[in-house]
Amino acid sequence: MSDFSRYVCWDVENVISTIQTEAVVASPAVFLSTHTRLGIQRCRINGRSFSSTGESVTEEDVRDDFLNRRTNTGTLLLPVVGESGSGKSHLVRWVKEKIKHSDDRKIIYLEKSKTSLRHVIDSLLDGVEDEEIEQIRKDIRQVTGTFTAASLARRLITQLSVTLADLGKDAVSGKKRQLVGPRGISLLLQDPLLQEQMLEPDHFIPRFAEHFLSDRASGEERPPRFSLDDLPLSPDAITNDMSAPTRQVFGMLMSRPELQVLAVELLNAHWDKAVQELSSLGGGRLLGAMQKVREIYARQGKEIVLLVEDFALIQGVQGDLLDAITETSERDGKTALAPMRTLMAITSGYFHDLPETAATRISTSTGGFVYNLDIVLGEGKTGTEDIATFVAKYLNAARVGREALERAGGDFVPNKCDECTIKSLCHGSFGASVDGFGLYPFNREALTRVVHSVAPQENPYAFVPRTVLGSGVIPILNDAYGSIGKGEFPSTFFQENYKVVRGVDKALPNSVSEDVDSRDPLNAKRRRKALEFWADAPDQLVNLPQGIGEAFSLPELDVEERGAGPGRSLPAEATSQPAITLVDAPQTPRVPPALQRKLDVVEDWAASGSRLTTEVANIVRAMVSRSVHYREDWLTPPIKPIGVGDAEGAGWTVKANTVSIEDASAEALNKSAAITLERNPRNGEFFKSLVRVHAQDADGMRPQDVVRLASTAETYRAALRERVALNAEHSDGDLVAALRVSLLGAALAGQVVPGMPIDTLYAAAFDKGQTWARPDISSRTETWVKRLETHLQHRAGLVEALLNSLGIGQGATGAVHVIDAARAVALVKEAAQQWDLSSIELPTWAKDAAHPLRAGWDVAVRGQLQELTTLVHEIRECFPKSSGPGDRLVQQVSTALQMANAEGITGPQGPELAMRAAAVAEADWNTVSVLEKELFRIADNQDQSAESLLAVVAAPRSPHLREMREYLKSADALLDTALAAARMQTQNAVSDAADQLAGLLVEWQQAVDDATPQAEAGE
């Protein structure tokens, strides 16, 4: 290992002080030491646009043209155009640094960072002493010192409203006439609510006010003009407080987009006048002042050189300034005004949108040409060397440091690499520019890819210097300073912020990424990024050049261990591209085009971050989800199988809610899906194998993917069972709820009550109840009977569903004959812990059977309790408690009845009593005492729980309870009738008959009354 391991040759402070994205910030020495030739094209002006002449020029060409071109008017206006960050102000600054000062030249430099009106005016009028000019300076100081940004913004919008209101219809043409005057768009600027919208922070007027009063921050762009977004046209703005005329103008603009465009044009066209009026520069004061300045310098024999870094910064005074700098210097054949040469930077977009008058002045005074700095490095011209040369100078400056550069003065730039002891290894691995400046920690490939990564998305080949430095070089150097020293570069920061641009740069093949993951899991992410950016995404796993591997702490791998044959070398590219060892790839058979397109989709998804198409995603989902289905044996634990065709209905779909794939089509990764497949190299290669098998190209499926598919099926079959159970509502929670319904239904039928042994409960829970009938139905309430009938109508379906969810189907019909008893018993035990459905969520398939057990169930139970209590009470009124058998009373009453019949004193009630006696002939009178004790225990202990009540109410009772009560009531009524008849006969009969009847009555009464002492003794 050399000294290059974790080596860093710059520091963060030097990066900040020497690599500047704003040309004006750097000192002259630092600026010149980092200056790199710009790509400049000479373009012809066509109105407010321009077209390339195909001529490329240098900075020296621009400087010489600017300083030496002769014009008939004695004035020259030379625009430098380009997008923001393209280097316009850099070129203007470079020209400034390269102009030799002389007594016959006055140089005025308007820096883009000094945007306040005071700075602009002071710079334009600098060095001139005159009362009128001094008064202008005082007025500007007063204006800029009086307002805050907020108050100035409100005054500007008011002044703009006045300007537009004063504008006559004859001053404009076409549809604009509808928008000017006191009843035009000036009304919108007067409405308080609409004003508030236009004064929101990101809109044009408040941002202009800030820059008008104070200088902008470095890198901050000033809005050049009004846009459609600045119009206060939110529908929410319409209120009852809005005046009718304002509402009319507002509605007209809202409904007619073409008028919105014209409204913006009016705002921009008359903005300067509003600014001038407010800043005391109206009436041509600035134009007059600039003319006086030119007159003074003309008398001194000087030429004025005006350098403007950003034309947008002189908003508000652009019209007067353009007039002043383009006005001819000759009057009556003599030089009345000093000649002027103006070099100014204008963004491309602003140039295209210039007011017509400004565009005409510029075109006339330039000779019809501009210099364009927009650089687009396309496929035919990658610009690799240009990029390397540009960045290398900044890298060298960061190594040398600001103090050393300023001591050198910019004429001679010291090369820090010349004194480096590891220069040979470093330049041999990372490369160097043609000037000899090392590219470390980049190389040519990495720099090119970084440039593409930070370029505008709509133009990935654009080379924007400010963006390359500000978004690429500076943050990477700052991050690498610490992460290289820790052995963590390319760091997570680099990995997340610098991506391969699809269609521009090749992504690291997914197969190589997977190989990296398996061979170097500890450094896999860093090595993949290093191979992609620094090794140009090779088709096979390679070792990085020695210096790159050592600097980035990425140890060499044994790339030949795959046994693919001897290695070969690629030719080295100058000093920047050392040999890279590769392993030859085995030849693969030609793939059908349709299949290849699908494989390419997977490759792009895994390697480049593109989305997986719906077609390919569905193939992967189908292969994975169905493999799980085929793997399931439905036996552990037993559950009724579903066919492949039934899987969709059972909840195991070929959709993202079952198999979710990261960035598949328009779907996000669904973490709640049964199976989630993230984007990574391993999954990319796995998907390719699945696509091949789906296309009946199984020979292309890798053996490890066959194993993985089987492993995936085994891993997720439990999820399949769970999904099927959830979809069919056969989860353990569903089954416990359904078993509780079944147990309550069995209790309703008198088959079980709370507290019974588990084997009894188990048997009843799985009984369809087709032979169930309560023997004590006569003592059940009507409500109880109806609920039982309703439950039994649905019970068979309930139990069948329970069997299907806990058993194994057999035979041609698939009927369940074997139940997983161990699981079922546990579920029955859990179900029997509560005998109430009021707060439980039921599966859909159990709701019909549960309906009579839910709504009003407590009322039904208590109603049945009251029924039993009443029966016992009425029986005891005629048959008090006794430990003896009740059939003795029946026998005694029967004997008395026979005697009464013989005497003819029973009347019509005799046959009824005989019939009721037959009904209770088999009755067990002891059951009355048992029931009575249970009822007493509930009332005495006040135990009103659902389980306690149901244990008494649902238990089967004597089928003769109601008959007992009716028999006793009939016997009591008949006894009263017979006794009354016997007394009458005794009074009227002869002595013998009366005696006989009296004896009968005594014997009968004794037979009935004997029960009472016995009952009392038993109690």
Side-chain angles (χ1 to χ4, degrees):
M1 188 70 67
S2 69
D3 293 337
F4 205 8
S5 177
R6 304 190 180 189
Y7 178 76
V8 179
C9 53
W10 66 92
D11 61 45
V12 174
E13 183 59 36
N14 280 345
V15 170
I16 295 173
S17 62
T18 60
I19 304 180
Q20 299 292 342
T21 59
E22 297 290 341
V24 70
V25 175
S27 66
V30 173
F31 174 80
L32 293 174
S33 66
T34 56
H35 172 72
T36 306
R37 292 202 175 278
L38 301 167
I40 308 171
Q41 293 182 337
R42 195 165 187 257
C43 295
R44 184 179 300 277
I45 296 177
N46 299 311
R48 281 178 284 188
S49 62
F50 47 86
S51 57
S52 176
T53 62
E55 179 184 0
S56 295
V57 298
T58 65
E59 293 90 332
E60 288 82 3
D61 294 331
V62 175
R63 178 196 60 191
D64 293 344
D65 184 24
F66 174 60
L67 295 178
N68 299 323
R69 188 192 299 187
R70 300 298 177 184
T71 64
N72 294 331
T73 61
T75 61
L76 173 68
L77 177 57
L78 196 60
V80 176
V81 298
E83 295 299 333
S84 178
S86 61
K88 305 180 301 297
S89 48
H90 185 99
L91 177 58
V92 173
R93 168 78 187 275
W94 184 89
V95 170
K96 170 183 175 290
E97 299 297 337
K98 293 297 181 179
I99 295 178
K100 295 181 179 180
H101 292 269
S102 62
D103 294 337
D104 59 355
R105 180 177 290 156
K106 169 63 178 179
I107 299 177
I108 301 174
Y109 184 40
L110 298 184
E111 301 177 16
K112 65 183 299 183
S113 61
K114 296 182 178 180
T115 61
S116 66
L117 181 63
R118 178 177 177 179
H119 269 126
V120 171
I121 299 301
D122 283 349
S123 297
L124 290 173
L125 306 181
D126 178 54
V128 176
E129 298 299 331
D130 179 85
E131 289 185 7
E132 181 180 348
I133 291 177
E134 183 59 30
Q135 186 59 48
I136 290 178
R137 290 193 184 105
K138 290 180 180 179
D139 292 343
I140 293 300
R141 291 190 188 101
Q142 181 179 1
V143 169
T144 56
T146 301
F147 293 109
T148 64
S151 62
L152 177 60
R154 293 190 179 279
R155 289 291 299 275
L156 283 170
I157 200 171
T158 300
Q159 186 61 52
L160 181 60
S161 173
V162 172
T163 301
L164 292 171
D166 292 343
L167 194 63
K169 295 185 182 298
D170 56 346
V172 295
S173 60
K175 295 180 180 179
K176 286 183 180 179
R177 292 177 177 174
Q178 305 175 61
L179 304 176
V180 300
R183 300 179 70 85
I185 58 174
S186 65
L187 291 174
L188 301 182
L189 306 184
Q190 298 170 25
D191 184 90
L193 183 58
L194 299 181
Q195 276 192 7
E196 290 300 322
Q197 291 187 28
M198 294 189 73
L199 294 175
E200 290 178 355
D202 290 336
H203 285 202
F204 171 73
I205 292 178
R207 292 185 65 187
F208 176 91
E210 290 178 2
H211 296 305
F212 186 91
L213 295 177
S214 58
D215 296 336
R216 72 183 182 92
S218 178
E220 181 186 0
E221 290 297 326
R222 176 175 180 170
R225 68 194 74 81
F226 285 98
S227 68
L228 287 173
D229 292 336
D230 293 302
L231 292 179
L233 297 182
S234 170
D236 298 335
I238 299 180
T239 64
N240 294 330
D241 296 333
M242 183 180 288
S243 67
T246 304
R247 188 186 299 271
Q248 182 178 2
V249 176
F250 184 91
M252 181 172 61
L253 286 177
M254 284 287 292
S255 61
R256 298 175 63 181
E258 74 278 8
L259 290 183
Q260 296 176 20
V261 175
L262 296 179
V264 171
E265 290 181 4
L266 283 171
L267 294 177
N268 285 319
H270 297 277
W271 178 246
D272 275 10
K273 183 177 181 181
V275 174
Q276 290 171 9
E277 291 296 332
L278 190 62
S279 58
S280 302
L281 290 177
R285 289 187 74 193
L286 179 60
L287 174 60
M290 285 300 298
Q291 288 176 336
K292 180 163 290 190
V293 168
R294 291 184 63 183
E295 290 174 356
I296 293 172
Y297 284 125
R299 290 194 294 269
Q300 297 175 6
K302 290 185 177 181
E303 179 184 57
I304 300 175
V305 174
L306 176 61
L307 303 171
V308 183
E309 282 196 348
D310 186 356
F311 183 63
L313 70 85
I314 56 175
Q315 281 177 326
V317 294
Q318 286 175 346
D320 279 6
L321 184 60
L322 283 174
D323 284 341
I325 64 179
T326 57
E327 184 176 353
T328 180
S329 60
E330 299 289 332
R331 291 181 182 175
D332 299 328
K334 297 180 181 180
T335 300
L337 303 177
M340 281 200 73
R341 298 182 182 274
T342 304
L343 182 70
M344 63 181 182
I346 310 178
T347 61
S348 303
Y350 194 20
F351 187 89
H352 294 311
D353 293 337
L354 280 172
E356 185 174 351
T357 53
T360 301
R361 293 191 188 100
I362 291 174
S363 179
T364 301
S365 61
T366 60
F369 292 97
V370 297
Y371 289 107
N372 181 18
L373 270 70
D374 285 333
I375 304 172
V376 178
L377 305 174
E379 296 182 19
K381 180 186 177 184
T382 62
T384 300
E385 289 303 321
D386 294 333
I387 294 171
T389 300
F390 174 81
V391 174
K393 286 191 174 183
Y394 286 97
L395 296 176
N396 180 65
R399 298 185 190 107
V400 173
R402 178 175 179 175
E403 292 184 4
L405 291 175
E406 290 181 345
R407 284 197 302 270
D411 296 327
F412 169 76
V413 180
N415 187 347
K416 191 71 172 179
C417 295
D418 290 343
E419 60 189 59
C420 182
T421 59
I422 54 174
K423 173 181 176 180
S424 177
L425 178 59
C426 179
H427 287 202
S429 299
F430 288 92
S433 69
V434 293
D435 299 319
F437 300 126
L439 299 179
Y440 178 64
F442 303 96
N443 64 2
R444 281 169 168 76
E445 290 74 17
L447 278 174
T448 301
R449 286 171 177 261
V450 167
V451 169
H452 294 161
S453 179
V454 301
Q457 188 173 3
E458 67 279 4
N459 190 5
Y461 286 106
F463 178 80
V464 185
R466 183 194 299 165
T467 304
V468 171
L469 295 176
S471 300
V473 175
I474 294 174
I476 290 173
L477 287 180
N478 289 340
D479 171 69
Y481 177 76
S483 57
I484 287 179
K486 297 176 183 177
E488 298 174 354
F489 190 80
S491 64
T492 301
F493 169 81
F494 188 95
Q495 296 164 28
E496 293 178 350
N497 289 280
Y498 303 97
K499 308 286 187 180
V500 169
V501 181
R502 293 178 57 202
V504 176
D505 294 317
K506 173 188 173 185
L508 186 67
N510 191 63
S511 57
V512 178
S513 295
E514 186 189 33
D515 211 356
V516 170
D517 286 352
S518 63
R519 292 171 181 268
D520 188 16
L522 183 63
N523 301 304
K525 291 184 178 180
R526 295 197 304 115
R527 188 179 294 275
R528 288 203 304 265
K529 184 59 73 171
L531 287 171
E532 193 166 58
F533 270 66
W534 278 263
D536 206 24
D539 291 329
Q540 296 173 250
L541 180 58
V542 300
N543 275 316
L544 294 161
Q546 178 187 351
I548 297 179
E550 290 185 8
F552 294 172
S553 302
L554 293 170
E556 285 196 359
L557 302 175
D558 185 7
V559 295
E560 296 184 358
E561 68 183 19
R562 295 185 293 180
R568 60 184 173 86
S569 296
L570 295 177
E573 179 186 343
T575 61
S576 64
Q577 189 65 37
I580 297 177
T581 303
L582 295 174
V583 177
D584 291 329
Q587 294 297 316
T588 56
R590 185 178 181 276
V591 179
L595 174 57
Q596 187 59 55
R597 283 194 293 271
K598 295 182 178 68
L599 295 175
D600 290 343
V601 167
V602 176
E603 177 69 23
D604 288 343
W605 171 79
S608 303
S610 62
R611 291 189 178 276
L612 204 62
T613 64
T614 301
E615 179 186 18
V616 174
N618 284 339
I619 290 174
V620 172
R621 291 189 180 113
M623 296 294 292
V624 173
S625 62
R626 288 174 182 170
S627 71
V628 176
H629 184 273
Y630 294 140
R631 185 72 173 179
E632 176 55 41
D633 59 12
W634 309 103
L635 298 176
T636 312
I639 187 173
K640 189 174 183 180
I642 60 168
V644 175
D646 300 325
E648 289 278 338
W652 193 253
T653 62
V654 185
K655 296 179 181 177
N657 62 349
T658 295
V659 181
S660 182
I661 305 171
E662 183 178 2
D663 268 345
S665 186
E667 301 167 357
L669 189 65
N670 181 6
K671 292 292 186 180
S672 63
I675 303 173
T676 56
L677 298 169
E678 297 180 352
R679 188 210 320 274
N680 58 50
R682 183 166 178 259
N683 281 339
E685 294 306 294
F686 179 51
F687 287 8
K688 289 180 185 178
S689 290
L690 297 181
V691 169
R692 286 181 179 274
V693 173
H694 182 268
Q696 299 182 356
D697 182 27
D699 292 339
M701 186 173 189
R702 305 183 310 170
Q704 60 264 42
D705 292 329
V706 176
V707 174
R708 182 181 177 190
L709 185 60
S711 174
T712 299
E714 179 65 27
T715 300
Y716 290 104
R717 69 188 186 94
L720 164 62
R721 297 176 63 85
E722 181 181 355
R723 179 65 64 85
V724 172
L726 286 173
N727 189 73
E729 297 180 296
H730 285 169
S731 67
D732 282 0
D734 294 323
L735 296 178
V736 167
L739 284 168
R740 190 166 295 164
V741 173
S742 182
L743 290 174
L744 278 168
L748 190 65
Q751 300 298 310
V752 294
V753 294
M756 280 187 169
I758 187 61
D759 55 343
T760 304
L761 298 177
Y762 180 90
F766 292 100
D767 194 320
K768 295 181 180 179
Q770 294 171 336
T771 61
W772 287 355
R774 288 197 71 113
D776 59 350
I777 197 71
S778 64
S779 61
R780 299 285 118 183
T781 64
E782 181 181 0
T783 298
W784 189 278
V785 173
K786 287 184 177 179
R787 287 172 183 263
L788 174 58
E789 291 174 350
T790 302
H791 172 75
L792 290 177
Q793 289 174 5
H794 301 287
R795 184 175 180 83
L798 169 71
V799 174
E800 186 67 28
L802 284 168
L803 293 172
N804 287 337
S805 61
L806 290 166
I808 303 173
Q810 294 181 345
T813 62
V816 174
H817 299 287
V818 180
I819 295 178
D820 182 2
R823 182 182 178 211
V825 167
L827 295 175
V828 171
K829 285 182 178 179
E830 185 177 350
Q833 291 177 3
Q834 280 188 300
W835 293 74
D836 178 54
L837 300 178
S838 60
S839 60
I840 192 171
E841 183 68 26
L842 293 173
T844 303
W845 48 269
K847 288 183 177 179
D848 288 341
H851 180 70
L853 306 170
R854 299 195 79 178
W857 174 244
D858 183 64
V859 175
V861 170
R862 293 185 179 276
Q864 184 60 54
L865 178 66
Q866 183 61 45
E867 176 69 14
L868 293 175
T869 302
T870 300
L871 277 173
V872 171
H873 175 73
E874 292 179 351
I875 288 173
R876 286 304 183 200
E877 285 182 340
C878 300
F879 178 50
K881 296 179 181 179
S882 174
S883 58
D887 55 358
R888 181 173 178 271
L889 173 63
V890 175
Q891 183 61 45
Q892 289 176 330
V893 173
S894 178
T895 301
L897 178 61
Q898 292 175 7
M899 294 173 65
N901 284 334
E903 294 298 324
I905 59 174
T906 59
Q909 293 174 323
E912 179 184 354
L913 183 60
M915 179 184 66
R916 293 193 182 282
V920 297
E922 303 297 328
D924 182 1
W925 292 81
N926 290 327
T927 59
V928 177
S929 298
V930 174
L931 174 58
E932 191 174 30
K933 289 179 180 179
E934 293 181 18
L935 292 172
F936 177 77
R937 184 172 63 251
I938 290 178
D940 185 56
N941 297 334
Q942 297 183 344
D943 183 0
Q944 301 292 312
S945 66
E947 290 76 17
S948 297
L949 292 176
L950 193 61
V952 174
V953 170
R957 302 298 174 181
S958 170
H960 303 101
L961 285 177
R962 191 174 295 276
E963 286 79 359
M964 289 179 185
R965 182 190 65 179
E966 299 305 323
Y967 168 75
L968 291 172
K969 284 187 175 182
S970 296
D972 186 61
L974 180 60
L975 178 60
D976 290 341
T977 300
L979 286 174
R983 292 190 186 95
M984 291 180 63
Q985 290 190 17
T986 301
Q987 294 172 1
N988 298 328
V990 294
S991 181
D992 291 342
D995 290 342
Q996 185 179 10
L997 180 57
L1000 172 62
L1001 291 175
V1002 171
E1003 185 177 352
W1004 190 359
Q1005 185 68 53
Q1006 185 65 47
V1008 175
D1009 294 343
D1010 280 348
T1012 300
Q1014 293 174 5
E1016 292 173 353
E1019 185 179 4

